[in-house]
Amino acid sequence: MDFIDLRSDTVTMQTKEMIDAMIHAKVGDDVYGEDDSVNELEKYAANLVGKEAGLFVTSGTFGNQVSILTHTKRGNEVILDDSCHIIQHEASAGAVISGVQFRTVESENGILDPEKVLSKIRTEKDIHYPETALICLENAHSLGKVIPISIMEKIYQGAKKYNIKVHLDGARLFNAATSLNVDAKEITKYCDSVSFCLSKGLCAPIGSVVCSDADFIERARKNRKIMGGGMRQAGYMAAPGLYALKNMTKRLHEDHEMAKYLAKELLKIPGVLLNMDDVEINMVFLKIDTKKDIKKLREFMLKEGIKISGPDLNIFRFVTHYFIRKEHVDKTIKVLKDFLG
Ligand SMILES: *Cc1c(COP(=O)(O)O)cnc(C)c1O
């Protein structure tokens, strides 16, 4: 990488092993179910999260949306956190594709109160009411927080009583598992379906996998076709994804440690405000109290070869990943100090 890129873990490039996996992938027509690499990825992924079957999709958004489409009927209600990715960053796809109504619940930095969530379930039959069909959770949350398993369990068990399904947006599921120091299965026990990204911190080029029971995946496979997501020789993308699941999930703690190191060094700079306890995965959120025009920071950093995004409502988000090493953090700190004078 030519730049120190702290914008996101989606910017990660592929390792040599992944390129090799692509070149040597055994492929076929996946719409006919004949792509060995896709089949192997789907099977491995499902097993990894303790579900019966998997479905390879093009993106995290696709994974969430095909899951919502499969879990719901038009006019159903979906309960979810006000700050989650499905609400904030998926361009109303649930309304466009599935025709569902979203009912949001406010959370504490992504941490939902189970009682508040469950109280939104519509239990009475009334012609005015939509039918609640689904609750969506997110772990790790895109605000950088890891949701305690006990909270997921309470919501899942509560929803079950009303036969309401739970979908987990696990774009960064393996970051959550790493942070909690548990097997991913311990988290996905408390959802009916899960979608996780291969192309974020895991460094694969493209794709997410949706996992659930076999019947759900069969229906989701048809819905993926309806959404135009039936791919042919997709094994070229599945093979590096499989490599990523087997290998890159085991090193995410390095990114988390790097984020902690970055946060610790940032805190030494006068004016930087952040909460060390909030650094649970590979993300650092910070505010900078300064007389300087903070909107100029991005340009200043770029001239020094560092890419950042924001600020978003005065908050910056720095993300560590495979391509961010200690010397990159040290340079970032130095450049930020230079900017602040
Ligand atoms: C990145 C992300 C997604 C969507 O991923 P895309 O591949 O960009 O569509 C979904 N949910 C969360 C929490 C994410 O961070």
Side-chain angles (χ1 to χ4, degrees):
M1 271 194 174
D2 299 331
F3 286 91
I4 298 171
D5 199 335
L6 296 165
R7 290 173 301 169
S8 177
D9 45 10
T10 55
V11 301
T12 45
M13 301 301 283
Q14 289 62 65
T15 63
K16 183 184 171 298
E17 290 81 0
M18 285 183 195
I19 303 285
D20 284 344
M22 268 184 248
I23 291 171
H24 300 294
K26 281 183 77 183
V27 300
D29 190 330
D30 181 51
V31 174
Y32 292 137
E34 290 175 3
D35 189 300
D36 286 347
S37 300
V38 172
N39 292 339
E40 196 184 345
L41 169 69
E42 290 177 346
K43 202 168 157 202
Y44 186 88
N47 189 44
L48 199 58
V49 296
K51 302 287 180 203
E52 284 173 9
L55 181 70
F56 184 43
V57 295
T58 52
S59 70
T61 300
F62 203 119
N64 286 333
Q65 295 304 328
V66 78
S67 299
I68 292 173
L69 183 62
T70 308
H71 278 301
T72 62
K73 293 198 294 269
R74 295 183 74 78
N76 278 167
E77 191 164 64
V78 178
I79 302 170
L80 65 190
D81 158 35
D82 176 54
S83 64
C84 74
H85 194 277
I86 294 172
I87 288 293
Q88 297 294 339
H89 296 288
E90 300 191 10
S92 264
V96 176
I97 298 167
S98 302
V100 293
Q101 163 161 295
F102 286 134
R103 184 112 181 257
T104 60
V105 179
E106 274 189 36
S107 67
E108 195 70 46
N109 257 341
I111 313 280
L112 285 160
D113 173 354
E115 297 206 348
K116 227 167 153 184
V117 173
L118 297 172
S119 74
K120 300 288 183 211
I121 295 175
R122 316 253 195 174
T123 54
E124 292 154 60
K125 287 244 181 287
D126 182 312
I127 58 165
H128 301 91
Y129 288 173
E131 224 173 282
T132 309
L134 182 65
I135 296 171
C136 295
L137 302 177
E138 186 172 308
N139 207 6
H141 197 281
S142 33
L143 292 174
K145 297 294 285 182
V146 176
I147 317 303
I149 294 178
S150 61
I151 288 188
M152 289 189 58
E153 182 180 3
K154 278 191 192 123
I155 293 172
Y156 179 72
Q157 301 296 5
K160 215 171 166 174
K161 284 189 201 140
Y162 302 102
N163 200 24
I164 287 162
K165 303 293 181 192
V166 174
H167 170 70
L168 174 64
D169 177 355
R172 294 189 181 83
L173 172 67
F174 299 101
N175 294 87
T178 300
S179 178
L180 292 166
N181 200 18
V182 297
D183 218 88
K185 279 181 204 164
E186 296 302 314
I187 300 173
T188 51
K189 263 205 303 225
Y190 302 113
C191 67
D192 297 288
S193 61
V194 56
S195 167
F196 54 83
C197 289
L198 303 169
S199 65
K200 289 191 168 167
L202 302 185
C203 302
I206 282 175
S208 285
V209 188
V210 178
C211 296
S212 183
D213 60 67
D215 169 66
F216 179 90
I217 292 299
E218 196 184 317
R219 291 183 293 120
R221 198 175 291 282
K222 181 163 182 180
N223 284 335
R224 183 185 69 173
K225 189 79 184 112
I226 289 169
M227 290 163 70
M231 297 179 283
R232 302 295 179 177
Q233 287 74 33
Y236 291 118
M237 293 300 123
L242 180 63
Y243 177 88
L245 278 187
K246 285 183 176 170
N247 299 279
M248 305 303 269
T249 50
K250 299 196 173 77
R251 58 153 304 282
L252 291 174
H253 63 96
E254 293 174 23
D255 300 343
H256 296 188
E257 280 153 24
M258 199 57 76
K260 285 204 174 80
Y261 174 67
L262 170 62
K264 204 169 66 93
E265 294 302 304
L266 282 167
L267 266 180
K268 291 180 188 163
I269 303 175
V272 168
L273 304 167
L274 69 90
N275 186 354
M276 206 61 206
D277 290 339
D278 285 342
V279 185
E280 296 186 320
I281 55 169
N282 60 334
M283 293 178 183
V284 181
F285 289 84
L286 61 140
K287 277 190 193 167
I288 305 171
D289 184 15
T290 171
K291 292 208 168 60
K292 291 268 160 83
D293 181 3
I294 206 66
K295 292 203 179 70
K296 299 224 166 93
L297 179 61
R298 182 158 41 157
E299 208 185 306
F300 187 88
M301 288 248 179
L302 191 60
K303 283 200 188 103
E304 300 290 334
I306 303 167
K307 289 185 181 180
I308 60 167
S309 49
D312 186 8
L313 298 172
N314 267 339
I315 296 173
F316 288 95
R317 183 189 78 165
F318 293 168
V319 183
T320 58
H321 49 75
Y322 187 75
F323 295 90
I324 301 296
R325 306 283 153 89
K326 183 174 177 293
E327 63 264 29
H328 302 136
V329 170
D330 293 339
K331 180 169 175 189
T332 302
I333 296 293
K334 185 190 166 295
V335 173
L336 181 57
K337 276 184 184 157
D338 289 348
F339 175 80
L340 294 171

